[in-house]
Structures are given as structure tokens and as C-alpha cells.
Amino acid sequence: MVEVLVTGGAGFIGSNFVRFALRQHPDWHVTTLDKLTYAGRRENLHDVMADPRHTFVHGDIADAAVAGPLVERANIVVHFAAETHVDRSIQAAGEFIHTDVVGTFVLLEAARRATSLRRFVQISTDEVYGSVPTGASRETDELKPRNPYSASKAAADRLAYSYWATYDVPVIVTRASNNYGPYQFPEKVIPLFATNAIDDIQVPLYGDGLNVRDWLHVDDHCRALDLLIEQGTSGEVYNVGGGNEVTNRDLTTRILEALGKPLSLIRPVADRPGHDRRYCLSTAKLAGLGWHPEVAFEDGLRSTVAWYADNPWWWRPIKEQDAAFKAYYQAQYAARTS
Ligand code: NAD
Ligand code: TYD
């Protein structure tokens, strides 16, 4: 069996990747290491928790006693675990430094000691390039992160690279654009707006709504990672972009239309401080390995919105019963509309 460690596997992309990996690779045994923060949920892995090829470990990546032995016995590490929400990083950055920076350091230290490790995938983000008014970021472009989330990810991205350059840890770094799909925590724009609209609640559109994101279906992201685990070159960075540049206003309109809801649900609110205007990735390097996104944005968005409509069991407990989430969201909303 190939031993695969997935950190953050109870989160959005991680849980989709665990499911994908178990389906795709009958010879893989996958261990999920996850702290189960507000964003990590056992429900995200409900259909694979009992799979004999999957083991779930509840723990913090920054806890060397827990994370170290798991990394040391792995053949492949796919490191998703992170604090990920920009708005939360603007409110309080401490957890972002703890997990995204210190946690990554702890995993890399263990990776130095590992004897059978053949791939360490550092999941980075397009946000490390900062806001790009024109053109498309290439892997060699300067990193100019502009909020505590993207700065913590940039630190981890370069720390991982340094462990390849210095200690020969078989690191590759991937920088993906905004992902969408099932099981995304409903603080992020697509699940938040879809679930609000299902209940006829207004959707808070920041600023002028003309910020641009490049949307990547999570399944296309998983396929890219799978390819790179085998065919990526250690020490290299790979952009993974969906090629779907959409303004937030256009995105919101499409979500509301998909649900048959009126545009009057759009509530313009105060902008996010330091709101990056646009991200855009050149994906020529990954295309050179034969990867192209397969999910057309129209189809992917429609099926994603339909997934939230069909699976209220998954998001209603968060939005209606999770007191911490309700307090967070109400405070955000009040601050932006006051
Ligand atoms: P998420 O917030 O949905 O999930 C993060 C997971 O990490 C959760 O399960 C959480 O419990 C876990 N976690 C947090 N701190 C931990 C710790 N100290 N120890 C162990 N587990 C911990 O995030 P996501 O959207 O799935 O993102 C996954 C990765 O992909 C992140 O590294 C993120 O920076 C990157 N990324 C995300 C996107 C996107 O659009 N979502 C785009 C590019 C890159
Ligand atoms: P988000 O899903 O938080 O991802 P990121 O900030 O990592 O790109 O936000 C996506 C875009 O949607 C971003 O430009 C901010 C905007 N947005 C809103 O307009 N309203 C919201 O309530 C949220 C959460 C985001």
C-alpha cells in the first residue's frame, strides 16, 4: 500500500481530495490529519469514514508529537491544512500564523527525517501573487501578498521551497485559484450566497462587486494534484487555474438565476479592507504536462448550487445551530452595513 497523508482532509478541498484519491487509487491508504476547527467537519468525510483504506486522526499539524510520526511513515504528503478565510485573517491573524506558518514548519521538519517520502505537496494559492490588475501571474512572478491570510500562505510556500533547496525534501508547490464545489464552508462567497438565496436572505456583495476571481472546480483541482504527485518535478511551483475570470457581480447574478431568485436579493455592502481586485493565473506550465480543466463553469456552478439546494442536512446545522458561526456572520454583516 502507498501511504498518503492528507492534512486538512476534513475541510472543503481536502475532503474532496480524500474521496477522489480513494476512488482513483485502490493501492492507496489515506490518513487524514485534521484539527476539526470551525471549518473542518467529520460530515465532510461521512461516506469514507468507515473505509478500511482511510484512517482519520484528530490532531493539530503544529503538534510535532502527533504530526511527526504520520509524516515520517508517509510516502506522499498532501498538505491542505490551513486557516483559509481572508475576512477572518483581517479580524485576527494569530491562528493563521500558528497553522499556515508554524504548522507547515512542523510538517517540513518531520519530512526531513522521513525515509520513504517521495512527494510533499505544499498547497499554496494564487493569492500569494497579490492583486494583478492586468495579465496573468506566472510561477516565476514576484509574490506580493496583501492580507494576513495570503501573507501566511506565502511564508509557507517559500518555507516549503527552502526545504527542497536546502534538505532535498521532495516538495512541489501548487498555487490554485478560487475553488468551488460541494462541502465548501458557507462563509465563502458561493456557498454563502447560494444558501442565503435558498432562504430568500440578502447576499452581501462587497464594494462595487467588480472584483474578479478565477474559478476552478474542485474536481479539476484534484485531477491536477493527482497528476503532479506523479509527474511534478521537485522544487517546482505549478499554477492551477480554472480559466474562468468572473466579476463578483456576474457570479452573484448567475447564482441567483440558477436558483430562480430575484436580483433584488443583492445587498451592496462596505468593501473588504485591502480587497484584492483581481487574480489571474497563467497555467501554461501545467498544460505542458497535459492538464486542462474539464468542468465548464456554467455546468460546474449549476451543479454546485444544486448540491447546496439538495443537501441542507450539510449546511443548515452550521448556519442555524452553530452559535460561533452565527455570531461571526452577524458581526461581519452588521459592520459592513452600519
Ligand atoms: P478549509 O478552511 O475548508 O479547510 C481547512 C481544513 O484545515 C479544515 O478541515 C481545518 O479543520 C483544518 N485545519 C486548520 N488548522 C489546522 C491545524 N492546525 N491542524 C490540522 N488541521 C487544521 O480550506 P480549503 O478551502 O479546503 O483550503 C484547503 C487548502 O487549499 C488551504 O491550504 C488553502 O490555503 C488552499 N487553497 C484554497 C483555495 C480555495 O478557493 N478554497 C484556493 C487555493 C488554495
Ligand atoms: P471568498 O469566497 O472569501 O474568497 P477569497 O477572498 O479568498 O477570494 O470571496 C470571493 C470574492 O467574493 C471576494 O472578492 C470577496 C467577495 N465576497 C463578497 O462580495 N461578499 C461576501 O460575503 C464574501 C464572503 C465574499
Side-chain angles (χ1 to χ4, degrees):
M1 278 287 184
V2 178
E3 283 297 328
V4 181
L5 175 65
V6 176
T7 71
F12 161 47
I13 306 174
S15 63
N16 279 280
F17 182 78
V18 168
R19 198 170 288 111
F20 172 92
L22 290 169
R23 211 173 44 231
Q24 206 68 18
H25 296 284
D27 61 331
W28 281 15
H29 174 265
V30 177
T31 300
T32 295
L33 171 60
D34 200 293
K35 189 180 176 182
L36 297 178
T37 67
Y38 77 92
R41 310 186 71 228
R42 289 177 193 273
E43 291 90 320
N44 294 0
L45 294 168
H46 65 100
D47 49 342
V48 294
M49 275 300 196
D51 190 320
R53 289 190 295 117
H54 178 234
T55 304
F56 181 80
V57 178
H58 183 196
D60 187 336
I61 56 165
D63 180 349
V66 176
L70 297 176
V71 174
E72 284 176 46
R73 68 162 188 253
N75 304 117
I76 298 168
V77 174
V78 189
H79 172 32
F80 294 98
E83 288 293 332
T84 61
H85 193 41
V86 173
D87 292 321
R88 288 183 191 255
S89 82
I90 293 168
Q91 282 188 330
E95 286 300 313
F96 290 73
I97 305 306
H98 171 79
T99 292
D100 303 11
V101 185
V102 178
T104 300
F105 162 69
V106 169
L107 297 177
L108 289 165
E109 278 292 297
R112 280 178 65 185
R113 299 188 297 269
T115 51
S116 314
L117 187 65
R118 61 179 172 87
R119 177 64 70 225
F120 185 109
V121 184
Q122 173 62 28
I123 304 290
S124 189
T125 164
D126 63 353
E127 304 197 19
V128 297
Y129 295 113
S131 194
V132 286
T134 55
S137 303
R138 288 176 306 173
E139 288 84 351
T140 47
D141 284 358
E142 190 180 354
L143 304 189
K144 287 184 170 179
R146 289 163 26 90
N147 59 61
Y149 163 66
S150 53
S152 71
K153 292 295 293 185
D157 173 318
R158 291 299 80 196
L159 193 64
Y161 174 79
S162 80
Y163 272 62
W164 169 75
T166 311
Y167 306 113
D168 217 17
V169 174
V171 168
I172 61 166
V173 176
T174 61
R175 297 181 184 146
S177 61
N178 281 63
N179 279 222
Y180 70 103
Y183 301 101
Q184 187 170 28
F185 196 78
E187 63 186 350
K188 303 280 166 57
V189 72
I190 290 180
L192 175 67
F193 282 16
T195 57
N196 274 15
I198 287 165
D199 284 346
D200 299 307
I201 296 169
Q202 291 196 314
V203 300
L205 184 63
Y206 296 171
D208 62 7
L210 296 179
N211 299 63
V212 172
R213 296 294 183 264
D214 166 12
W215 291 97
L216 169 71
H217 194 277
V218 68
D219 290 347
D220 279 326
H221 191 182
C222 290
R223 278 188 278 274
L225 296 173
D226 199 37
L227 176 77
L228 288 169
I229 285 168
E230 295 306 329
Q231 293 185 36
T233 301
S234 294
E236 293 291 317
V237 177
Y238 297 89
N239 288 343
V240 190
N244 300 298
E245 274 194 64
V246 184
T247 65
N248 291 338
R249 180 166 288 280
D250 184 14
L251 175 72
T252 307
T253 303
R254 291 179 195 223
I255 294 169
L256 294 174
E257 282 174 358
L259 289 164
K261 299 290 181 179
L263 299 187
S264 56
L265 282 182
I266 298 175
R267 171 81 195 258
V269 298
D271 209 353
R272 170 187 282 172
H275 194 177
D276 285 340
R277 192 64 168 169
R278 175 176 175 269
Y279 304 129
C280 182
L281 291 175
S282 161
T283 52
K285 188 168 174 180
L286 191 53
L289 291 178
W291 178 89
H292 297 280
E294 292 174 17
V295 182
F297 186 59
E298 278 200 16
D299 299 341
L301 188 63
R302 206 176 311 115
S303 63
T304 297
V305 169
W307 188 87
Y308 290 99
D310 292 343
N311 290 280
W313 69 270
W314 184 81
W315 55 268
R316 280 205 187 281
I318 303 170
K319 290 189 76 170
E320 291 169 9
Q321 289 151 33
D322 181 336
F325 178 71
K326 281 165 72 174
Y328 162 80
Y329 183 65
Q330 281 161 10
Q332 280 279 324
Y333 193 78
R336 291 188 194 284
T337 50
S338 63

